[in-house]
């Protein structure tokens, strides 16, 4: 597996699957989630509504992943995963690692050959960037997956530097 870093906008990545740092409602939100829904168009939200009406009536659980169409994105699929909110009093690092493992598992089930990840849980969910980068890279490196092309698409210089220092 080749792991690369990209400084830029995840919604512009020409990959098989883009990973969305979603909230459990799957109905869109801020940050990466909002950007994916805005650029991808209503097709993504329509599939998310169907998922909520069927398998995920109470929302997608933290650490799990599910795929939808990518709508108007230059990707085939969006893999939605719900990262944990960072806590100083409780170790939730396994839930964050699960987001990456489960997203790759879903990518494998789709036959995806390239996957673009954001830095999950580092926005409004408050995960410290250096720790999030460590968990993301360790988890992806150790994952049993047939995806040969994994890229981390990082929105700003600070995030890019955190990942680059560990890659």
């Amino acid at each position: 597996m080749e792991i690369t870093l990209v400084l830029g906008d995840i919604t512009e990545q020409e990959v098989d699957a883009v990973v969305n740092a979603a909230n459990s409602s799957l109905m869109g939100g801020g940050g990466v989630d909002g950007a994916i829904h805005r650029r991808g168009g209503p097709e993504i939200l329509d599939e998310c509504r169907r998922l909520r009406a069927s398998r995920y009536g109470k929302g997608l659980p933290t650490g799990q992943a599910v795929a939808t169409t990518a709508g108007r994105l230059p990707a085939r699929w969006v893999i939605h995963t719900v990262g944990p909110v960072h806590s100083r009093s409780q170790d939730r690092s396994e839930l964050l690692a699960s987001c990456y493992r489960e997203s790759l598992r879903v990518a494998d089930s789709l036959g995806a050959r390239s996957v673009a990840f954001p830095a999950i849980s580092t926005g409004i969910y408050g995960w410290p960037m250096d720790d999030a980068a460590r968990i993301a890279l360790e988890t992806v490196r150790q994952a049993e997956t047939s995806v040969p092309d994994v890229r981390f698409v990082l929105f700003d210089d600070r995030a890019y530097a955190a990942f680059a220092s560990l890659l």
Side-chain angles (χ1 to χ4, degrees), residues 2 11 14 40 42 49 54 73 100 104 109-110 114 116 127 142 151 163:
E2 181 178 358
T11 67
E14 294 184 18
R49 284 189 177 120
S54 60
L73 295 173
Y100 293 98
L104 288 170
S109 74
L110 296 168
S114 55
W127 208 285
Q142 295 170 4
R151 61 186 84 160
F163 277 75

Side-chain angles (χ1 to χ4, degrees), residues 7 9 14 16 21 33 40 45 65 71 90 94 101 103 132 158 164:
L7 179 61
D9 182 344
E14 294 184 18
D16 290 332
D33 193 18
L45 186 57
Q90 183 181 24
E94 181 50 39
R101 275 194 306 274
S103 294
R158 183 177 68 88

Side-chain angles (χ1 to χ4, degrees), residues 127-140:
W127 208 285
M129 188 61 72
D130 291 338
D131 192 46
R134 178 189 60 78
I135 292 167
L137 289 167
E138 283 178 4
T139 303
V140 168

Side-chain angles (χ1 to χ4, degrees), residues 86-97:
H86 183 261
S87 170
R88 293 182 190 274
S89 61
Q90 183 181 24
D91 182 6
R92 297 181 177 163
S93 56
E94 181 50 39
L95 284 171
L96 183 54

Side-chain angles (χ1 to χ4, degrees), residues 4-13 116-119 129 151-164 167:
T4 57
L5 305 179
V6 176
L7 179 61
D9 182 344
I10 197 165
T11 67
E12 297 174 354
Q13 295 300 301
F117 281 102
M129 188 61 72
R151 61 186 84 160
F152 287 92
V153 183
L154 305 155
F155 191 69
D156 62 24
D157 292 329
R158 183 177 68 88
Y160 188 92
F163 277 75
L167 191 61

Side-chain angles (χ1 to χ4, degrees), residues 26-74:
L26 297 175
M27 296 293 119
V32 169
D33 193 18
I36 285 173
H37 277 271
R38 281 189 302 277
R39 176 127 189 240
E43 299 88 350
I44 297 172
L45 186 57
D46 289 345
E47 279 198 40
C48 286
R49 284 189 177 120
R50 284 193 288 278
L51 287 167
R52 283 299 304 271
S54 60
R55 298 189 344 221
Y56 299 106
K58 295 181 181 178
L60 183 64
T62 301
Q64 297 300 303
V66 65
T68 65
T69 182
R72 299 175 192 151
L73 295 173

